[in-house]
């Protein structure tokens, strides 16, 4: 991004096995400051990205790069892999890649029916719209919808058939609804409910949903969450 520097957690610098990132945030913040100062004095010819990649912050992450992706192959594989990667300090010649989030969705014809024999909970809030109410999310009702669905035909044809419209379940705020009216089935987007978790952006199996920033800083009242 011209004119922007990503540091700390925004740049994905968390050390996942240690669950620590504050030191990485400080390191990358110092590096960004040094880079800006060097740029201002005309002393730097490399970009911030190259500097960050060559820094101790990235050297630390290189040692643990395979640990989190290893758990995508199951807990036992992940544990053995984590032990190996820790013992060898990340010297493995390979790098496991993370798959996109939607990749873990199963199609209806292969998915096992979930066991629903758990005890009914009595804790409040018990439904999503009650949760939305507690989040005090607020958007002007007449602002443009900030959830862009590039092809809504897929929702009522391919997606309904293959995945059973998972957006109705993975959205924690009940934003997506398939409604039926005189013209047939269609996707209804209740954008004013959105709590800006961005799940839909990464979990939609056809990658047709794009979350964009709503107008006027609208959204949940985080202070009251
Ligand atoms: S960002 Fe989160 S709350 Fe908003 S529509 Fe997407 S899944 Fe729902």
């Amino acid at each position: 991004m011209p004119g922007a520097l990503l540091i700390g957690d925004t740049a994905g610098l968390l050390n996942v096995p240690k669950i620590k990132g504050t030191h990485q945030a400080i390191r990358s913040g110092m590096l960004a400051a040094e880079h800006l100062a060097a740029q201002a004095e005309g002393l730097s010819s490399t970009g911030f990205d190259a500097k960050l990649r060559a820094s101790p912050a990235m050297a630390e992450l290189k040692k643990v790069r395979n640990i989190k992706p290893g758990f995508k192959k199951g807990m036992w594989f992940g544990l053995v892999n984590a032990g190996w990667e820790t013992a060898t300090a990340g010297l493995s010649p390979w790098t496991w890649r993370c798959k996109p989030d939607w990749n873990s969705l199963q199609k209806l014809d292969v998915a096992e029916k979930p066991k629903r024999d758990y005890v009914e909970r009595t804790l409040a809030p018990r439904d999503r719209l009650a949760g939305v109410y507690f989040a005090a999310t607020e958007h002007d009702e007449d602002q443009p919808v900030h959830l862009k669905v590039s092809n809504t035909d897929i929702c009522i044809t391919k997606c309904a058939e293959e995945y059973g419209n998972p957006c109705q379940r993975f959205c924690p705020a009940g934003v997506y609804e398939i409604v039926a009216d005189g013209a047939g089935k269609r996707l209804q987007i209740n954008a004013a409910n959105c709590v800006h978790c961005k799940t839909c952006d990464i979990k939609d199996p056809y990658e047709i949903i794009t979350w964009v920033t709503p107008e006027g800083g609208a959204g949940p009242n985080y202070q009251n969450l």
Side-chain angles (χ1 to χ4, degrees), residues 42 61 69 94 97 108 134 147 149 168-170 181 211 223:
L61 293 187
W94 55 81
R97 298 279 166 204
L108 290 178
F134 284 118
L147 300 145
V149 181
Q168 295 185 107
R169 295 181 292 284
F170 61 59
D181 53 23
W211 179 96
Q223 285 172 342

Side-chain angles (χ1 to χ4, degrees), residues 27 29 32 87 91 128 132 222:
R27 273 174 173 166
L91 286 178
R128 290 184 211 192
V132 172
Y222 290 108

Side-chain angles (χ1 to χ4, degrees), residues 157-168:
T157 53
K158 222 170 154 188
C159 185
E161 203 176 291
E162 292 185 332
Y163 290 97
N165 297 117
C167 59
Q168 295 185 107

Side-chain angles (χ1 to χ4, degrees), residues 146-147 170-173 175-176 193-201 211:
H146 68 282
L147 300 145
F170 61 59
C171 172
V175 168
Y176 300 99
N193 283 6
C194 180
V195 293
H196 301 181
C197 66
K198 295 187 78 179
T199 304
C200 51
D201 205 305
W211 179 96

Side-chain angles (χ1 to χ4, degrees), residues 105-108 128 149 151-171 174-180 185-188 200 203-206 208-209:
L105 285 181
Q106 292 181 323
K107 291 190 176 173
L108 290 178
R128 290 184 211 192
V149 181
N151 184 350
T152 50
D153 288 342
I154 289 181
C155 307
I156 46 172
T157 53
K158 222 170 154 188
C159 185
E161 203 176 291
E162 292 185 332
Y163 290 97
N165 297 117
C167 59
Q168 295 185 107
R169 295 181 292 284
F170 61 59
C171 172
V175 168
Y176 300 99
E177 276 184 86
I178 300 292
V179 295
K185 285 189 174 177
R186 66 181 168 82
L187 175 71
Q188 175 171 296
C200 51
K203 204 70 183 169
D204 144 41
Y206 301 100
I208 53 173
I209 302 178

Side-chain angles (χ1 to χ4, degrees), residues 5 31-46 51:
L5 301 179
L31 201 66
E34 284 167 11
H35 174 70
L36 291 175
Q39 287 283 326
E41 292 175 14
L43 299 175
S44 176
S45 56
T46 46
K51 274 193 181 145

